[in-house]
Amino acid sequence: MSHETQDDAAPSAITDATLVPEQWPVHAGLIGSILLMASPLLLAFVMSTQTVPEVYDITNIGAGSDGLANYLEVLTTYEMASYMLNSLVMSVVVTVGKIAVSLLAAVALVFYRFRFKNAIFFLILFTLMVPVPVRIVPLYELMAAWGWSNTLLALTGPYLASATAVFLLRQHFLSIPDSLVESAKLDGVGPLRFLWDVLIPMSRGMISGLGVITFIYAWNQYLWPLIVISDQNKQVVQVGMKYLQSVGNAGQTDWGLIMAGAVLTLLPPLVALIAFRGPLLETFGLAE
Amino acid sequence: MTGITTTDLVKRFDDVTAVDGVDLNVRDGEFLVLVGPSGCGKSTTLRLLAGLESPTEGAVEIADSDVTDTPPGDRDVAMVFQSYALYPHMTARENMTFGVRTATDFGSGEVDDRVAEAAAILDIEDLLDRTPAALSGGEQQRVAIGRALVRDPEVFLMDEPLSNLDAKLRVQMRAELAELHAELQTTTLYVTHDQVEAMTLGDRVAVMYDGELQQVAPPQRLYDAPDTRFVAEFIGSPGMNTVEATLERRGDDAVATWGSNQLTLPSAGRVADRVDGRAVLGVRPEDLRQERDGPLRMEITVTEPLGDSLLTRGTVGGAEMEVSLPARSPVGVGDAVSLAADPERLHLFDPESGEALYHSSTELDATEAEPLLADGSPERR
């Protein structure tokens, strides 16, 4: 019986996968555009394996003779490993902290009745118009006044409140039927238990999607860490990349090293993207 | 005693008065159905009892203690929602146990026993490890009821629990709910807009309209002796025909006239004296019959064969009326038929207030105090 089913299914699968000759130009076009879009990345990867002279030889776009030596050097001699660790700590703290704060804010905005609720919500939305770079000077003064400069607190604190995350979670919570909340109320289930046992499991997709976006956003921060962190060993990977620029002999920048650093820097967000692509799409689908 | 009593309950939303001075008394162990059209305030009343809304005025008592300001979680009531309100990420079993631990002081062994017991009663033992998405509507509703059973509350509140089910399943679940109540004897307040559900399930039925209680009575009495014109028109399927008529005394009796139609109402003479010549006559479609020289003449506009009867709609002296004729009666649209009414089953209502003035049945009298109450307590209206 199962044998027959396989026989039935197999031909149609083959037909689907077979290239129809008329469609070759389409496929060629698609492959071409993908190559075009990916070319900077591919080039970076190629250059990361080349020695300095090979990089400066423009026509040489084959794999270089350094192999993975640049990667090893970047990770050990130039301490990319420790920058990456710093970035990882920062990104995880920002992601967890931002989601925790936003969850609580969204719960308050959706499930509690208090005065000026809408005004408060719009005030939160207004902060979207004041991104971190605009706030850098006052924020820096604040950090200095509190003695937070050059600490993880300064690195992560300003990122914890997010209007976007509050907004997305609020919209998601609004789509949860009132009767679920009321049923919990009748059972005497407290707000925190409701958040933990009902809201979070029901918002798993939204939360992981937000988590990926936040993680990548935090990982890519450059300006604020550059300003607020003064010790090189506490610095994050994006700023660490800048340090690589000054490495090199006789005014020749060692692009091989920089590209190796760049490829390494790309990897964690890439892994996060691939691992959580499902919920990420769900988040954007709902956010439309 | 675990009854529910509300005193002069009022709920206003901005300028809309949803519940307007409701005095309701649900007795210990009683199944009381609150019925009314959409927007009549029945669901709001239920939510006031549950504590999901707080009353603008008035008080709520459950089991002889004032719970007007008690949060819903401390009232020991369980509610079954029209939308089931099952948590989609939990299995049926988790749904049934989730609220129990906070709401009661059952140990975990006891909770398991109670879930098993409720599942056996509702016949959902095989479904306990499925999530709501893998259950049909009827099965979800059973789980929702099971969740209420496990709680073992003082009071069940049910908000149109069968409305989302298809017709056949609804009839089946209705019978099961009745059985369940007969077995458990838990005080239950059940809200529905479906008067058939109300009549079949309720020990007593409370009819609500425009935020006010119209009548609270056992189903048969509601049908036989409606207190108001609204109840008369709402209860029954289809409801009672009503028509404005002139009323004249003729000896002990009275005669109602509209157009060229006349009906004699036995012993209604005194009523005719009171009402200044005008009243609303009520007669149920089932109490009209075709008769060769009957006093009423109906022009048929629509016929609806229901199988066991032929529902016929038409105009009698300019007024829309419905009559239930025997199945396969040889009548068609455009025909004129003569009708007679059962003199024992006529009603009169006040044209302004809609209050009942007269029921022709000798066993019933609109002005009489409720004779059908077991404990003899005065009916709240």
Side-chain angles (χ1 to χ4, degrees), chain B residues 99-121:
Chain B
V100 176
R101 288 199 179 84
T102 38
T104 65
D105 44 15
F106 294 136
S108 68
E110 204 173 351
V111 169
D112 290 344
D113 290 347
R114 295 197 59 85
V115 170
E117 196 185 330
I121 292 173

Side-chain angles (χ1 to χ4, degrees), chain A residues 179 182 185-187 193 197, chain B residues 47 73 79 83 89 102 151:
Chain A
S179 56
E182 289 170 351
K185 271 189 199 165
L186 283 169
D187 288 339
R193 175 137 185 260
D197 283 338
Chain B
R47 293 166 59 80
M79 190 156 161
S83 57
H89 60 285
T102 38
R151 282 268 315 271

Side-chain angles (χ1 to χ4, degrees), chain B residues 53-73:
Chain B
E53 305 280 355
S54 49
T56 314
E57 287 166 30
V60 178
E61 271 179 42
I62 294 176
D64 290 335
S65 62
D66 189 325
V67 294
T68 313
D69 300 315
T70 310

Side-chain angles (χ1 to χ4, degrees), chain A residues 119 121-130 163:
Chain A
F121 176 59
F122 279 108
L123 205 64
I124 292 174
L125 280 191
F126 278 138
T127 63
L128 279 178
M129 295 178 194
V130 196

Side-chain angles (χ1 to χ4, degrees), chain B residues 301-320:
Chain B
T301 53
V302 181
T303 59
E304 297 173 352
L306 298 178
D308 60 341
S309 64
L310 181 72
L311 187 63
T312 311
R313 194 173 309 161
T315 51
V316 179
E320 278 280 325

